[in-house]
């Protein structure tokens, strides 16, 4: 039986944790889900990964980075419930300091032994969202993710880009070589733990060297007032292909981008 007193909620989140998120650009929140919730979400996640069409990120030489089910919230009531989980989204709103909407969610799987790392990157360039300075991802572990199973590594503070510099697609060190020498923090998670990270922080994940698949749900939340800002023609592909019926400059306020959290 889970001791619900141990679950971290928006109400019990400390102001120190919020401050740390804002200065470092990421935070690890243990126990956002009870053991019963983890068991139910994991069983459904495994079923979705089995049944649904998956996308795969494969590298040329090193093998598979991961597979994922896109928009699992549209395919499974439980995945929708997890993406909109009031505890997780309430914490996200407190960290962001404002009302949020869900931008997208993905059900991720790093295959057992044989895959490769998730390379260093920032998320921001892939999001066609103006006012993305509060966009953040909640990455919820549905199995234990020790270092050996490919947990994430962050460069604390790297979410603050020098004036006039945009977080780039691809290799962040080309744009900011000094970041090579900044400390990195690797964050193993227990099943039911979550990390939140800012869309401009430089981060990566290790390879899965274990015989258990790494399964997690990564959901991106944006400012409730964010507007659609497509990338110029000819630039790298972004999630803008999925934006339907919204003109550039208009708010992303359709049912596809529901309000979340305590203030919704
Ligand atoms: O799950 C991973 O390996 C990487 C996830 C990630 O980079 C993200 O959610 O922004």
């Amino acid at each position: 039986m889970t001791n619900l007193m141990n679950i971290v909620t928006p109400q019990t989140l400390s102001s120190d944790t919020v401050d740390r998120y804002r200065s470092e650009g990421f935070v690890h929140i243990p126990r956002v889900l009870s053991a019963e919730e983890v068991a139910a979400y994991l069983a459904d996640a495994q079923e979705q990964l089995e049944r649904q069409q998956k996308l795969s990120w494969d590298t040329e030489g090193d093998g598979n980075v991961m597979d994922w089910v896109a928009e699992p919230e549209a395919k499974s009531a439980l995945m929708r419930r997890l993406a909109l989980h009031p505890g997780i989204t309430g914490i996200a709103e407190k960290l962001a300091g404002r009302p949020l909407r869900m931008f997208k969610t993905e059900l991720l799987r790093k295959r057992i032994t044989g895959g490769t790392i998730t390379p260093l990157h920032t998320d921001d360039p892939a999001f066609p969202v103006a006012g993305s300075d509060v966009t953040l991802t909640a990455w919820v572990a549905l199995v234990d993710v020790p270092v050996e199973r490919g947990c994430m590594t962050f460069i604390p503070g790297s979410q603050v880009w020098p004036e006039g510099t945009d977080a780039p697609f691809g290799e962040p060190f080309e744009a900011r070589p000094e970041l090579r020498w900044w400390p990195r923090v690797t964050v193993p998670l227990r099943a039911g733990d979550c990390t939140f990270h800012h869309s401009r922080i430089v981060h990566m994940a290790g390879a899965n060297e274990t015989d258990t698949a790494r399964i997690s749900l990564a959901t991106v939340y944006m400012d409730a007032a964010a507007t659609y800002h497509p990338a110029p023609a000819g630039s790298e592909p972004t999630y803008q292909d999925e934006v339907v019926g919204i003109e550039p400059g208009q708010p992303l306020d359709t049912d596809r981008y529901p309000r979340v959290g305590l203030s919704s």
Side-chain angles (χ1 to χ4, degrees), residues 17 24-25 27 37 40 50 79 102 113 118 123 128 139 213 220-221 238 260:
T17 304
E24 298 195 337
V27 73
E37 286 179 300
E50 192 65 38
M79 288 297 105
M102 186 190 84
T113 308
T118 309
D123 301 332
W139 197 100
V220 177
Y221 305 103
T238 74
V260 298

mmCIF file of all heavy atoms in Angstrom, residues 17 24-25 27 37 40 50 79 102 113 118 123 128 139 213 220-221 238 260:
data_model
loop_
_atom_site.group_PDB
_atom_site.id
_atom_site.type_symbol
_atom_site.label_atom_id
_atom_site.label_comp_id
_atom_site.label_asym_id
_atom_site.label_seq_id
_atom_site.Cartn_x
_atom_site.Cartn_y
_atom_site.Cartn_z
ATOM 1 N N THR A 17 12.595 24.290 -4.369
ATOM 2 C CA THR A 17 12.607 23.465 -5.586
ATOM 3 C C THR A 17 12.269 24.330 -6.799
ATOM 4 O O THR A 17 12.879 24.200 -7.861
ATOM 5 C CB THR A 17 11.598 22.302 -5.437
ATOM 6 O OG1 THR A 17 11.936 21.595 -4.258
ATOM 7 C CG2 THR A 17 11.644 21.373 -6.625
ATOM 8 N N GLU A 24 18.510 26.385 -12.549
ATOM 9 C CA GLU A 24 19.270 25.301 -13.202
ATOM 10 C C GLU A 24 18.618 24.811 -14.489
ATOM 11 O O GLU A 24 19.262 24.165 -15.300
ATOM 12 C CB GLU A 24 19.441 24.134 -12.221
ATOM 13 C CG GLU A 24 20.238 24.553 -10.986
ATOM 14 C CD GLU A 24 20.739 23.397 -10.154
ATOM 15 O OE1 GLU A 24 20.152 22.305 -10.234
ATOM 16 O OE2 GLU A 24 21.726 23.608 -9.432
ATOM 17 N N GLY A 25 17.300 25.045 -14.635
ATOM 18 C CA GLY A 25 16.626 24.654 -15.873
ATOM 19 C C GLY A 25 16.083 23.235 -15.866
ATOM 20 O O GLY A 25 15.505 22.782 -16.859
ATOM 21 N N VAL A 27 14.663 19.926 -12.856
ATOM 22 C CA VAL A 27 14.548 19.484 -11.473
ATOM 23 C C VAL A 27 14.044 18.050 -11.464
ATOM 24 O O VAL A 27 13.306 17.634 -12.367
ATOM 25 C CB VAL A 27 13.624 20.454 -10.676
ATOM 26 C CG1 VAL A 27 12.171 20.277 -11.050
ATOM 27 C CG2 VAL A 27 13.796 20.312 -9.192
ATOM 28 N N GLU A 37 -0.492 3.728 -9.288
ATOM 29 C CA GLU A 37 -0.587 4.463 -10.558
ATOM 30 C C GLU A 37 0.477 3.970 -11.533
ATOM 31 O O GLU A 37 0.196 3.761 -12.722
ATOM 32 C CB GLU A 37 -0.401 5.969 -10.310
ATOM 33 C CG GLU A 37 -1.586 6.666 -9.670
ATOM 34 C CD GLU A 37 -1.295 8.144 -9.448
ATOM 35 O OE1 GLU A 37 -0.324 8.458 -8.713
ATOM 36 O OE2 GLU A 37 -2.012 8.987 -9.987
ATOM 37 N N ALA A 40 -0.536 0.724 -13.172
ATOM 38 C CA ALA A 40 -1.615 0.853 -14.165
ATOM 39 C C ALA A 40 -1.100 1.548 -15.434
ATOM 40 O O ALA A 40 -1.374 1.101 -16.561
ATOM 41 C CB ALA A 40 -2.779 1.638 -13.559
ATOM 42 N N GLU A 50 3.102 -2.034 -27.804
ATOM 43 C CA GLU A 50 2.928 -3.278 -28.557
ATOM 44 C C GLU A 50 2.014 -3.049 -29.764
ATOM 45 O O GLU A 50 2.328 -3.458 -30.877
ATOM 46 C CB GLU A 50 2.304 -4.296 -27.576
ATOM 47 C CG GLU A 50 2.279 -5.732 -28.028
ATOM 48 C CD GLU A 50 3.689 -6.300 -28.175
ATOM 49 O OE1 GLU A 50 4.593 -5.990 -27.372
ATOM 50 O OE2 GLU A 50 3.858 -7.042 -29.149
ATOM 51 N N MET A 79 -3.243 7.049 -21.073
ATOM 52 C CA MET A 79 -2.116 7.921 -21.445
ATOM 53 C C MET A 79 -2.568 9.390 -21.416
ATOM 54 O O MET A 79 -1.796 10.277 -21.057
ATOM 55 C CB MET A 79 -1.565 7.544 -22.815
ATOM 56 C CG MET A 79 -0.801 6.232 -22.840
ATOM 57 S SD MET A 79 0.696 6.241 -21.795
ATOM 58 C CE MET A 79 0.199 5.270 -20.389
ATOM 59 N N MET A 102 -1.080 21.734 -22.701
ATOM 60 C CA MET A 102 -0.256 20.652 -23.231
ATOM 61 C C MET A 102 0.057 20.949 -24.692
ATOM 62 O O MET A 102 -0.856 21.254 -25.464
ATOM 63 C CB MET A 102 -1.017 19.328 -23.140
ATOM 64 C CG MET A 102 -0.164 18.141 -23.535
ATOM 65 S SD MET A 102 -1.137 16.649 -23.702
ATOM 66 C CE MET A 102 -1.724 16.858 -25.370
ATOM 67 N N THR A 113 19.446 -3.672 -24.493
ATOM 68 C CA THR A 113 20.831 -3.651 -24.973
ATOM 69 C C THR A 113 20.966 -3.633 -26.503
ATOM 70 O O THR A 113 20.348 -4.427 -27.186
ATOM 71 C CB THR A 113 21.558 -4.900 -24.439
ATOM 72 O OG1 THR A 113 21.343 -4.940 -23.043
ATOM 73 C CG2 THR A 113 23.039 -4.857 -24.735
ATOM 74 N N THR A 118 20.899 9.148 -26.527
ATOM 75 C CA THR A 118 20.174 10.283 -27.099
ATOM 76 C C THR A 118 21.177 11.440 -27.101
ATOM 77 O O THR A 118 21.644 11.848 -26.039
ATOM 78 C CB THR A 118 18.961 10.666 -26.211
ATOM 79 O OG1 THR A 118 18.194 9.492 -25.954
ATOM 80 C CG2 THR A 118 18.116 11.737 -26.869
ATOM 81 N N ASP A 123 15.468 21.364 -26.951
ATOM 82 C CA ASP A 123 14.163 21.043 -27.548
ATOM 83 C C ASP A 123 13.553 22.232 -28.285
ATOM 84 O O ASP A 123 12.775 22.067 -29.232
ATOM 85 C CB ASP A 123 13.169 20.614 -26.453
ATOM 86 C CG ASP A 123 13.662 19.404 -25.670
ATOM 87 O OD1 ASP A 123 14.416 18.595 -26.231
ATOM 88 O OD2 ASP A 123 13.279 19.286 -24.482
ATOM 89 N N PRO A 128 7.112 25.059 -32.591
ATOM 90 C CA PRO A 128 6.686 26.253 -33.350
ATOM 91 C C PRO A 128 5.832 27.184 -32.494
ATOM 92 O O PRO A 128 4.685 27.474 -32.807
ATOM 93 C CB PRO A 128 5.875 25.631 -34.492
ATOM 94 C CG PRO A 128 5.284 24.406 -33.883
ATOM 95 C CD PRO A 128 6.274 23.886 -32.885
ATOM 96 N N TRP A 139 9.056 14.504 -17.843
ATOM 97 C CA TRP A 139 9.509 13.173 -18.307
ATOM 98 C C TRP A 139 9.277 12.208 -17.146
ATOM 99 O O TRP A 139 9.987 12.248 -16.139
ATOM 100 C CB TRP A 139 10.976 13.284 -18.674
ATOM 101 C CG TRP A 139 11.585 12.214 -19.522
ATOM 102 C CD1 TRP A 139 11.824 12.261 -20.869
ATOM 103 C CD2 TRP A 139 12.092 10.935 -19.080
ATOM 104 N NE1 TRP A 139 12.437 11.102 -21.282
ATOM 105 C CE2 TRP A 139 12.606 10.278 -20.206
ATOM 106 C CE3 TRP A 139 12.156 10.298 -17.840
ATOM 107 C CZ2 TRP A 139 13.190 9.010 -20.135
ATOM 108 C CZ3 TRP A 139 12.728 9.030 -17.765
ATOM 109 C CH2 TRP A 139 13.231 8.400 -18.910
ATOM 110 N N ALA A 213 13.405 -2.829 -21.055
ATOM 111 C CA ALA A 213 13.175 -1.628 -21.872
ATOM 112 C C ALA A 213 12.970 -0.412 -20.959
ATOM 113 O O ALA A 213 12.360 -0.530 -19.898
ATOM 114 C CB ALA A 213 11.949 -1.845 -22.753
ATOM 115 N N VAL A 220 5.162 17.798 -23.230
ATOM 116 C CA VAL A 220 5.611 19.192 -23.317
ATOM 117 C C VAL A 220 4.427 20.106 -22.996
ATOM 118 O O VAL A 220 3.344 19.942 -23.562
ATOM 119 C CB VAL A 220 6.148 19.506 -24.732
ATOM 120 C CG1 VAL A 220 6.545 20.973 -24.850
ATOM 121 C CG2 VAL A 220 7.331 18.603 -25.050
ATOM 122 N N TYR A 221 4.664 21.045 -22.101
ATOM 123 C CA TYR A 221 3.654 22.040 -21.728
ATOM 124 C C TYR A 221 4.161 23.424 -22.130
ATOM 125 O O TYR A 221 5.358 23.711 -22.004
ATOM 126 C CB TYR A 221 3.385 21.995 -20.223
ATOM 127 C CG TYR A 221 2.994 20.611 -19.744
ATOM 128 C CD1 TYR A 221 3.911 19.802 -19.072
ATOM 129 C CD2 TYR A 221 1.725 20.098 -19.994
ATOM 130 C CE1 TYR A 221 3.570 18.521 -18.659
ATOM 131 C CE2 TYR A 221 1.375 18.813 -19.590
ATOM 132 C CZ TYR A 221 2.301 18.035 -18.917
ATOM 133 O OH TYR A 221 1.961 16.754 -18.524
ATOM 134 N N THR A 238 9.889 20.685 -37.897
ATOM 135 C CA THR A 238 9.515 20.855 -36.492
ATOM 136 C C THR A 238 8.142 20.224 -36.297
ATOM 137 O O THR A 238 7.558 19.688 -37.231
ATOM 138 C CB THR A 238 9.408 22.334 -36.097
ATOM 139 O OG1 THR A 238 8.207 22.849 -36.665
ATOM 140 C CG2 THR A 238 10.589 23.139 -36.572
ATOM 141 N N VAL A 260 -4.104 22.734 -18.697
ATOM 142 C CA VAL A 260 -3.755 21.704 -17.723
ATOM 143 C C VAL A 260 -3.619 22.343 -16.342
ATOM 144 O O VAL A 260 -3.703 23.570 -16.207
ATOM 145 C CB VAL A 260 -2.412 21.021 -18.093
ATOM 146 C CG1 VAL A 260 -2.509 20.321 -19.441
ATOM 147 C CG2 VAL A 260 -1.255 22.024 -18.076
#
